[in-house]
Amino acid sequence: MTAPGVHIAEPLLRARETALAAWRDDHPHADPTAVALADAIENDRIFPVYQPIVDLTNAHMVAVEALVRIEPPEPVGLENAPLIIEVAERSGLIDVLDMHVMHQACTQLAVWRQTAPQLQLHLNASVLELAHERFIDVVEQTLEHTGLPPDALVVEVTESAALGNDRTAEHVLLTLSSRGVIVALDDFGTGFSSLELLARTPAKIVKLDRSFVAALSDTHPAIRGRAMVVQAAIAMGRSLGLHLVGEGIEHATQSHALVSWGCQYGQGYLYGRPVRADKFDLRAAIAPSMDHMIVASLQPLSPAAIDVGIGLAMLLASIDEDAGVLRAAAMSAATIIASVLGTDRPRAEAAALLATIGDTSTHLEQLGVPADTDRPALRELLRALTAVPVISRETSAGAIARTAWALARLRARGDAELDPALLAAHPDPEIDRELHERIGEWWHTGNTIDPRDALLSLEQRLHTRNDANQRLQSLVGMARAIGSSGDVLDVLEVTAEEARQIIGASSLTVACFDPDGTELEVLVNVGELHGGEAVRPTAERYLMDQFPVAKIRIRSRNIHLQDIGDTNGDPGIAELLRRARKGSCAMVPIIVDGDLWGQMWTTTGLEAPSLSLPDTPFLSAVASFIGIAISRTKDVNRLAMLVHQDALTGLPNRRKLEQVVTERLRPHTFEPMSVALLDIDGLKQLNDDLGYAAGDRLLKTVAARLRLVPNRVQGAFAARLSGDEFCLLVPGETARATEIINEALDDLNAGPPPQPRLTVGIIQARVDDRVLGDVLRRADSAEYVAKRRGISVVVEPADAEVADRPTMGPTDRRRFSRRTPIHQNSEGALRAWHQVLESTDRSVPDALEAIGEIALNVLDLNRWALSCNLAGSETLELRRVHLRRSRPGSVASRPLEDENYSLREFPQTLEALDRQCGFVLASGESGADAAEQQLLDSFLLDGLVALAATEPNGDRWLLELYCDTQSVAARAATPLIDALFRRTFGRAAFDTD
């Protein structure tokens, strides 16, 4: 309820009464709890309580948040705020409730602002309120009747409230913001989708969720990682000109941590519990000194003010007797001060601009502009130039600018030494010391940059590198990359590319330190790379001793910036820039779980604006996100090892395999070596049918068996390449590797289901092979043949030439781009067959394939093969194979054969195609086609059932279903196969004549 003597305006009371009456008319049979809530609103027993929001640097109150309460005794079902909101939303009273609370709270704020004129009010907006544009009218009417300016009200929205309602909420918030009401994002950090919300809403304030703030005082290792999210969110918010409020602060340690990371505002029990208006202590809000700016006054300069400011700066620099040298010096001083204070990018850039026009008021008359000008952009600039040069973390851009301008004028006067009294003492001794040291260096070095060039560079940064929406969209991409699947390098590559785009850099590198911190190993390079650089290099390392200056900066967890023309920079960095033909760079430490893990190295092109001190907050934010990506992808304590290890299976990864193969292929270390490439067939379908957990178990099963090989065979090496592919290196000739592979296949086939179906290509390394790609290319070709033939292992002949894969036409390419579907049960196969029957444009090969899948599962067949005889051709081409299990001993020595067969050599098959009928063949059966018998014998199979069908264009297709000792016998299988064929094609499968 409002404090004594505070009266709500009559129009607002009438609006509330009208809304309540309309609700009662529309809900004559409302439940008792809803009626009790309506009565409480009508009788002023529902009222707001207020909790202070303070400046954490001095506990000065800048705002209050209004929270709903009910006068005791509370009706059943309305005992607390969540229940009140729930009942209001369920019953349709939410609009009336929020209107009631808004009227009371704004009326109370109008009274308080007579004493504390800058105090703001935070109000929560519900999902249902934002679903209707009438919420805009309620806000505007309330402000009008209470006499409050729009920026006195802060509307807080949650993620669910702002992202729903078919963009209505977005429109409502944009409209309110355009009319001066401030929008805040509540509970930020509960999910990375909050980033997308920032990009879609005009939020100027971000409230960090209390669960993350609570993590700041928790020492449990599992909680410490949540603090990283807080740090990253603060750095990101500051770089975008947002203002951050930490919620739920209960301990001084939490407040200190937030301040040290740059969060200026907070609320929680440490500063006050929610209380009624008549018990609220307003004294903490009465401190109107210039250095304690309210949230709204810390907004970045508007584009119009930037344009006017740059124009003024250029004009003044041109008419100055010193050609603008003094203004360039002031800009440099402002940049140094902002950097030391850790000022966010927009405010730092604004300070640099304002410093160049620090004497604008004295030039207004000369420029023909009255001192009391009503031009909005110029008035904004003049307001920003505060007269008090206060130095604190969140000081205004104008305060920094005035300090810098005063310093530049005194230095230009010719004083030999900097008077320490010229800089107000900072409360942090370390910051104060660094500030005086850096300004002292500047005092003695002088300026070498042309002032107009400096202003042009500043203008380019202000206009082209301060696109908050683009950066937010890129941060959304980074967040999605962090949540993506893959090993650490997969995630790092995607994340690094997103980071490069955010920064607007030419290239970006992520590197990790070795255990003793003396060497950097490059993991990922993205962007414009120079000669010799690779996206995922295998051996790109740098000793930190090569970069003595940068080494000190990085180890102290500071950013090292350097321009190619910087004569006082790190000589090692200068050489790297020269070789790479880059204009500037930044080395940014990457912190993972509180420890220095590595660094982000980013560069700009020769013609691009150089990375500078105002960029540092955003660079820190991006590096923090990369740190989160690393911590989420791997166990941090094992990350150095896992750089060369596959996380899922524990086997060495492709990166480590590349190093091993490269070393073994060196001429002075070369010894005979076989390379086996193993592929798990149907892994994707398994993931789709049974879930990724089943697929992961299968990958681990294969990896566990391959891990045994190096334990038993000296010099053997097993690795996971990626996805469903593994590689095995075996010393010696291919015969030994074939024997080892067959043993592994036998063991896997004897294991519990699901049993992996592996296709293997084995090749012999050659003396002219140099890198992993040389051997994998030939092993992949052998594996490809095995897959097409439907057999488990293919060994490349010793004298085989490396050939390209067969050229396929559009139809073939379409079919081969889809791996053979693997249905893990009969039900799945039946569903697929039914879909084929229901399809209006089903093709003959798809229909035959569906029959093959059912027969394979129901009859436990060995495999099926689908072949095509194109119209007018005398050749039968093998197109699709689904292998259920291999026959040990049948394929290891099988020579590579052409995948096309002359129909003249298979008379029984030719007759079946001509007559459009099938046939059945059992192994050893008298009178059978000799070529067909030979085919069965080569695969150690017991029989086959063949089906033939023709497409309208004349292409003829043959489905062959193969049986082994574990299958139903071929002749016993024919009734089911015939029934499936009849149902699919409407005719008998076999010629009964």
Side-chain angles (χ1 to χ4, degrees), residues 492-518:
L492 275 183
E493 183 178 339
V494 177
T495 306
E497 178 56 32
E498 291 286 351
R500 186 188 69 80
Q501 295 181 27
I502 293 172
I503 299 168
S506 171
S507 67
L508 188 143
T509 294
V510 176
C512 68
F513 286 111
D514 64 357
D516 59 4
T518 61

PDB file of all heavy atoms in Angstrom, residues 492-518:
ATOM      1  N   LEU A 492      35.986 -25.544 -30.697  1.00  0.00           N
ATOM      2  CA  LEU A 492      36.865 -24.375 -30.720  1.00  0.00           C
ATOM      3  C   LEU A 492      36.898 -23.719 -32.095  1.00  0.00           C
ATOM      4  O   LEU A 492      36.924 -22.495 -32.204  1.00  0.00           O
ATOM      5  CB  LEU A 492      38.281 -24.775 -30.303  1.00  0.00           C
ATOM      6  CG  LEU A 492      38.575 -24.799 -28.806  1.00  0.00           C
ATOM      7  CD1 LEU A 492      40.036 -25.130 -28.561  1.00  0.00           C
ATOM      8  CD2 LEU A 492      38.226 -23.478 -28.149  1.00  0.00           C
ATOM      9  N   GLU A 493      36.899 -24.518 -33.149  1.00  0.00           N
ATOM     10  CA  GLU A 493      36.961 -23.948 -34.489  1.00  0.00           C
ATOM     11  C   GLU A 493      35.723 -23.106 -34.776  1.00  0.00           C
ATOM     12  O   GLU A 493      35.812 -21.986 -35.276  1.00  0.00           O
ATOM     13  CB  GLU A 493      37.109 -25.045 -35.538  1.00  0.00           C
ATOM     14  CG  GLU A 493      37.256 -24.511 -36.946  1.00  0.00           C
ATOM     15  CD  GLU A 493      37.458 -25.602 -37.982  1.00  0.00           C
ATOM     16  OE1 GLU A 493      37.871 -26.723 -37.603  1.00  0.00           O
ATOM     17  OE2 GLU A 493      37.198 -25.344 -39.166  1.00  0.00           O
ATOM     18  N   VAL A 494      34.549 -23.656 -34.450  1.00  0.00           N
ATOM     19  CA  VAL A 494      33.306 -22.914 -34.685  1.00  0.00           C
ATOM     20  C   VAL A 494      33.263 -21.673 -33.795  1.00  0.00           C
ATOM     21  O   VAL A 494      32.922 -20.570 -34.240  1.00  0.00           O
ATOM     22  CB  VAL A 494      32.088 -23.819 -34.419  1.00  0.00           C
ATOM     23  CG1 VAL A 494      30.796 -23.028 -34.602  1.00  0.00           C
ATOM     24  CG2 VAL A 494      32.092 -25.010 -35.353  1.00  0.00           C
ATOM     25  N   THR A 495      33.628 -21.843 -32.527  1.00  0.00           N
ATOM     26  CA  THR A 495      33.593 -20.723 -31.592  1.00  0.00           C
ATOM     27  C   THR A 495      34.580 -19.640 -31.997  1.00  0.00           C
ATOM     28  O   THR A 495      34.275 -18.448 -31.927  1.00  0.00           O
ATOM     29  CB  THR A 495      33.910 -21.219 -30.171  1.00  0.00           C
ATOM     30  OG1 THR A 495      33.029 -22.295 -29.831  1.00  0.00           O
ATOM     31  CG2 THR A 495      33.736 -20.103 -29.159  1.00  0.00           C
ATOM     32  N   ALA A 496      35.768 -20.041 -32.427  1.00  0.00           N
ATOM     33  CA  ALA A 496      36.782 -19.067 -32.828  1.00  0.00           C
ATOM     34  C   ALA A 496      36.330 -18.260 -34.034  1.00  0.00           C
ATOM     35  O   ALA A 496      36.561 -17.046 -34.108  1.00  0.00           O
ATOM     36  CB  ALA A 496      38.095 -19.782 -33.125  1.00  0.00           C
ATOM     37  N   GLU A 497      35.678 -18.900 -34.990  1.00  0.00           N
ATOM     38  CA  GLU A 497      35.203 -18.179 -36.167  1.00  0.00           C
ATOM     39  C   GLU A 497      34.120 -17.171 -35.782  1.00  0.00           C
ATOM     40  O   GLU A 497      34.099 -16.036 -36.286  1.00  0.00           O
ATOM     41  CB  GLU A 497      34.670 -19.159 -37.216  1.00  0.00           C
ATOM     42  CG  GLU A 497      34.104 -18.500 -38.468  1.00  0.00           C
ATOM     43  CD  GLU A 497      35.095 -17.574 -39.161  1.00  0.00           C
ATOM     44  OE1 GLU A 497      36.326 -17.841 -39.106  1.00  0.00           O
ATOM     45  OE2 GLU A 497      34.652 -16.573 -39.749  1.00  0.00           O
ATOM     46  N   GLU A 498      33.216 -17.581 -34.889  1.00  0.00           N
ATOM     47  CA  GLU A 498      32.206 -16.633 -34.413  1.00  0.00           C
ATOM     48  C   GLU A 498      32.886 -15.463 -33.705  1.00  0.00           C
ATOM     49  O   GLU A 498      32.513 -14.305 -33.881  1.00  0.00           O
ATOM     50  CB  GLU A 498      31.229 -17.337 -33.464  1.00  0.00           C
ATOM     51  CG  GLU A 498      30.329 -18.357 -34.135  1.00  0.00           C
ATOM     52  CD  GLU A 498      29.232 -17.706 -34.981  1.00  0.00           C
ATOM     53  OE1 GLU A 498      29.084 -16.465 -34.900  1.00  0.00           O
ATOM     54  OE2 GLU A 498      28.558 -18.427 -35.720  1.00  0.00           O
ATOM     55  N   ALA A 499      33.895 -15.758 -32.882  1.00  0.00           N
ATOM     56  CA  ALA A 499      34.605 -14.713 -32.154  1.00  0.00           C
ATOM     57  C   ALA A 499      35.303 -13.762 -33.117  1.00  0.00           C
ATOM     58  O   ALA A 499      35.290 -12.533 -32.920  1.00  0.00           O
ATOM     59  CB  ALA A 499      35.624 -15.336 -31.204  1.00  0.00           C
ATOM     60  N   ARG A 500      35.905 -14.293 -34.164  1.00  0.00           N
ATOM     61  CA  ARG A 500      36.600 -13.438 -35.142  1.00  0.00           C
ATOM     62  C   ARG A 500      35.619 -12.458 -35.790  1.00  0.00           C
ATOM     63  O   ARG A 500      35.928 -11.283 -35.980  1.00  0.00           O
ATOM     64  CB  ARG A 500      37.257 -14.304 -36.219  1.00  0.00           C
ATOM     65  CG  ARG A 500      38.114 -13.517 -37.199  1.00  0.00           C
ATOM     66  CD  ARG A 500      38.581 -14.391 -38.346  1.00  0.00           C
ATOM     67  NE  ARG A 500      37.473 -14.767 -39.218  1.00  0.00           N
ATOM     68  CZ  ARG A 500      36.963 -13.980 -40.159  1.00  0.00           C
ATOM     69  NH1 ARG A 500      37.462 -12.761 -40.344  1.00  0.00           N
ATOM     70  NH2 ARG A 500      35.963 -14.387 -40.915  1.00  0.00           N
ATOM     71  N   GLN A 501      34.427 -12.953 -36.118  1.00  0.00           N
ATOM     72  CA  GLN A 501      33.437 -12.088 -36.746  1.00  0.00           C
ATOM     73  C   GLN A 501      32.944 -11.015 -35.778  1.00  0.00           C
ATOM     74  O   GLN A 501      32.691  -9.878 -36.173  1.00  0.00           O
ATOM     75  CB  GLN A 501      32.274 -12.925 -37.265  1.00  0.00           C
ATOM     76  CG  GLN A 501      32.665 -13.878 -38.390  1.00  0.00           C
ATOM     77  CD  GLN A 501      31.492 -14.680 -38.900  1.00  0.00           C
ATOM     78  OE1 GLN A 501      30.349 -14.249 -38.822  1.00  0.00           O
ATOM     79  NE2 GLN A 501      31.762 -15.856 -39.430  1.00  0.00           N
ATOM     80  N   ILE A 502      32.804 -11.387 -34.518  1.00  0.00           N
ATOM     81  CA  ILE A 502      32.362 -10.416 -33.519  1.00  0.00           C
ATOM     82  C   ILE A 502      33.357  -9.257 -33.436  1.00  0.00           C
ATOM     83  O   ILE A 502      32.982  -8.087 -33.451  1.00  0.00           O
ATOM     84  CB  ILE A 502      32.252 -11.080 -32.130  1.00  0.00           C
ATOM     85  CG1 ILE A 502      31.125 -12.104 -32.115  1.00  0.00           C
ATOM     86  CG2 ILE A 502      32.020 -10.042 -31.049  1.00  0.00           C
ATOM     87  CD1 ILE A 502      31.093 -12.918 -30.855  1.00  0.00           C
ATOM     88  N   ILE A 503      34.626  -9.586 -33.350  1.00  0.00           N
ATOM     89  CA  ILE A 503      35.659  -8.576 -33.174  1.00  0.00           C
ATOM     90  C   ILE A 503      35.868  -7.782 -34.455  1.00  0.00           C
ATOM     91  O   ILE A 503      36.298  -6.632 -34.436  1.00  0.00           O
ATOM     92  CB  ILE A 503      36.975  -9.247 -32.713  1.00  0.00           C
ATOM     93  CG1 ILE A 503      36.757  -9.942 -31.364  1.00  0.00           C
ATOM     94  CG2 ILE A 503      38.110  -8.250 -32.614  1.00  0.00           C
ATOM     95  CD1 ILE A 503      37.886 -10.864 -30.964  1.00  0.00           C
ATOM     96  N   GLY A 504      35.557  -8.389 -35.588  1.00  0.00           N
ATOM     97  CA  GLY A 504      35.846  -7.768 -36.867  1.00  0.00           C
ATOM     98  C   GLY A 504      37.304  -7.905 -37.231  1.00  0.00           C
ATOM     99  O   GLY A 504      37.893  -7.024 -37.871  1.00  0.00           O
ATOM    100  N   ALA A 505      37.912  -9.026 -36.806  1.00  0.00           N
ATOM    101  CA  ALA A 505      39.343  -9.230 -36.986  1.00  0.00           C
ATOM    102  C   ALA A 505      39.630  -9.931 -38.301  1.00  0.00           C
ATOM    103  O   ALA A 505      38.759 -10.559 -38.899  1.00  0.00           O
ATOM    104  CB  ALA A 505      39.906 -10.057 -35.827  1.00  0.00           C
ATOM    105  N   SER A 506      40.887  -9.838 -38.731  1.00  0.00           N
ATOM    106  CA  SER A 506      41.329 -10.533 -39.931  1.00  0.00           C
ATOM    107  C   SER A 506      41.551 -12.009 -39.652  1.00  0.00           C
ATOM    108  O   SER A 506      41.204 -12.870 -40.452  1.00  0.00           O
ATOM    109  CB  SER A 506      42.614  -9.899 -40.449  1.00  0.00           C
ATOM    110  OG  SER A 506      43.179 -10.673 -41.491  1.00  0.00           O
ATOM    111  N   SER A 507      42.144 -12.316 -38.507  1.00  0.00           N
ATOM    112  CA  SER A 507      42.393 -13.712 -38.135  1.00  0.00           C
ATOM    113  C   SER A 507      42.294 -13.847 -36.631  1.00  0.00           C
ATOM    114  O   SER A 507      42.387 -12.851 -35.894  1.00  0.00           O
ATOM    115  CB  SER A 507      43.779 -14.175 -38.610  1.00  0.00           C
ATOM    116  OG  SER A 507      44.802 -13.494 -37.900  1.00  0.00           O
ATOM    117  N   LEU A 508      42.091 -15.079 -36.200  1.00  0.00           N
ATOM    118  CA  LEU A 508      42.022 -15.347 -34.760  1.00  0.00           C
ATOM    119  C   LEU A 508      42.592 -16.729 -34.500  1.00  0.00           C
ATOM    120  O   LEU A 508      42.298 -17.675 -35.229  1.00  0.00           O
ATOM    121  CB  LEU A 508      40.589 -15.246 -34.247  1.00  0.00           C
ATOM    122  CG  LEU A 508      40.424 -15.319 -32.728  1.00  0.00           C
ATOM    123  CD1 LEU A 508      39.314 -14.363 -32.263  1.00  0.00           C
ATOM    124  CD2 LEU A 508      40.087 -16.735 -32.261  1.00  0.00           C
ATOM    125  N   THR A 509      43.412 -16.823 -33.470  1.00  0.00           N
ATOM    126  CA  THR A 509      44.074 -18.072 -33.101  1.00  0.00           C
ATOM    127  C   THR A 509      43.786 -18.380 -31.641  1.00  0.00           C
ATOM    128  O   THR A 509      43.783 -17.477 -30.795  1.00  0.00           O
ATOM    129  CB  THR A 509      45.592 -17.960 -33.318  1.00  0.00           C
ATOM    130  OG1 THR A 509      45.859 -17.830 -34.704  1.00  0.00           O
ATOM    131  CG2 THR A 509      46.324 -19.176 -32.785  1.00  0.00           C
ATOM    132  N   VAL A 510      43.538 -19.654 -31.354  1.00  0.00           N
ATOM    133  CA  VAL A 510      43.395 -20.117 -29.977  1.00  0.00           C
ATOM    134  C   VAL A 510      44.548 -21.076 -29.691  1.00  0.00           C
ATOM    135  O   VAL A 510      44.773 -22.021 -30.445  1.00  0.00           O
ATOM    136  CB  VAL A 510      42.047 -20.827 -29.748  1.00  0.00           C
ATOM    137  CG1 VAL A 510      41.974 -21.374 -28.323  1.00  0.00           C
ATOM    138  CG2 VAL A 510      40.890 -19.870 -30.004  1.00  0.00           C
ATOM    139  N   ALA A 511      45.284 -20.795 -28.634  1.00  0.00           N
ATOM    140  CA  ALA A 511      46.440 -21.618 -28.275  1.00  0.00           C
ATOM    141  C   ALA A 511      46.406 -21.908 -26.791  1.00  0.00           C
ATOM    142  O   ALA A 511      45.904 -21.112 -25.991  1.00  0.00           O
ATOM    143  CB  ALA A 511      47.739 -20.909 -28.646  1.00  0.00           C
ATOM    144  N   CYS A 512      46.949 -23.064 -26.400  1.00  0.00           N
ATOM    145  CA  CYS A 512      46.971 -23.447 -24.989  1.00  0.00           C
ATOM    146  C   CYS A 512      48.419 -23.554 -24.512  1.00  0.00           C
ATOM    147  O   CYS A 512      49.336 -23.835 -25.289  1.00  0.00           O
ATOM    148  CB  CYS A 512      46.231 -24.764 -24.750  1.00  0.00           C
ATOM    149  SG  CYS A 512      47.020 -26.213 -25.463  1.00  0.00           S
ATOM    150  N   PHE A 513      48.612 -23.324 -23.229  1.00  0.00           N
ATOM    151  CA  PHE A 513      49.925 -23.449 -22.620  1.00  0.00           C
ATOM    152  C   PHE A 513      50.235 -24.908 -22.321  1.00  0.00           C
ATOM    153  O   PHE A 513      49.327 -25.705 -22.029  1.00  0.00           O
ATOM    154  CB  PHE A 513      50.003 -22.650 -21.322  1.00  0.00           C
ATOM    155  CG  PHE A 513      50.093 -21.173 -21.521  1.00  0.00           C
ATOM    156  CD1 PHE A 513      49.044 -20.349 -21.162  1.00  0.00           C
ATOM    157  CD2 PHE A 513      51.223 -20.601 -22.080  1.00  0.00           C
ATOM    158  CE1 PHE A 513      49.127 -18.981 -21.338  1.00  0.00           C
ATOM    159  CE2 PHE A 513      51.323 -19.240 -22.265  1.00  0.00           C
ATOM    160  CZ  PHE A 513      50.264 -18.425 -21.902  1.00  0.00           C
ATOM    161  N   ASP A 514      51.521 -25.246 -22.380  1.00  0.00           N
ATOM    162  CA  ASP A 514      51.927 -26.558 -21.906  1.00  0.00           C
ATOM    163  C   ASP A 514      51.885 -26.543 -20.379  1.00  0.00           C
ATOM    164  O   ASP A 514      51.670 -25.491 -19.766  1.00  0.00           O
ATOM    165  CB  ASP A 514      53.313 -26.927 -22.445  1.00  0.00           C
ATOM    166  CG  ASP A 514      54.400 -25.996 -21.930  1.00  0.00           C
ATOM    167  OD1 ASP A 514      54.068 -25.038 -21.204  1.00  0.00           O
ATOM    168  OD2 ASP A 514      55.579 -26.224 -22.246  1.00  0.00           O
ATOM    169  N   PRO A 515      52.060 -27.701 -19.708  1.00  0.00           N
ATOM    170  CA  PRO A 515      51.883 -27.746 -18.255  1.00  0.00           C
ATOM    171  C   PRO A 515      52.729 -26.749 -17.479  1.00  0.00           C
ATOM    172  O   PRO A 515      52.289 -26.239 -16.447  1.00  0.00           O
ATOM    173  CB  PRO A 515      52.273 -29.194 -17.912  1.00  0.00           C
ATOM    174  CG  PRO A 515      51.936 -29.963 -19.144  1.00  0.00           C
ATOM    175  CD  PRO A 515      52.255 -29.047 -20.281  1.00  0.00           C
ATOM    176  N   ASP A 516      53.949 -26.460 -17.935  1.00  0.00           N
ATOM    177  CA  ASP A 516      54.785 -25.519 -17.178  1.00  0.00           C
ATOM    178  C   ASP A 516      54.655 -24.087 -17.665  1.00  0.00           C
ATOM    179  O   ASP A 516      55.332 -23.183 -17.158  1.00  0.00           O
ATOM    180  CB  ASP A 516      56.255 -25.949 -17.209  1.00  0.00           C
ATOM    181  CG  ASP A 516      56.802 -26.034 -18.631  1.00  0.00           C
ATOM    182  OD1 ASP A 516      56.058 -25.681 -19.564  1.00  0.00           O
ATOM    183  OD2 ASP A 516      57.950 -26.470 -18.791  1.00  0.00           O
ATOM    184  N   GLY A 517      53.796 -23.838 -18.656  1.00  0.00           N
ATOM    185  CA  GLY A 517      53.515 -22.488 -19.092  1.00  0.00           C
ATOM    186  C   GLY A 517      54.599 -21.813 -19.898  1.00  0.00           C
ATOM    187  O   GLY A 517      54.563 -20.600 -20.090  1.00  0.00           O
ATOM    188  N   THR A 518      55.549 -22.578 -20.409  1.00  0.00           N
ATOM    189  CA  THR A 518      56.650 -21.979 -21.162  1.00  0.00           C
ATOM    190  C   THR A 518      56.424 -22.001 -22.667  1.00  0.00           C
ATOM    191  O   THR A 518      57.106 -21.301 -23.398  1.00  0.00           O
ATOM    192  CB  THR A 518      57.969 -22.722 -20.858  1.00  0.00           C
ATOM    193  OG1 THR A 518      57.833 -24.095 -21.257  1.00  0.00           O
ATOM    194  CG2 THR A 518      58.287 -22.646 -19.374  1.00  0.00           C
TER     195      THR A 518
END
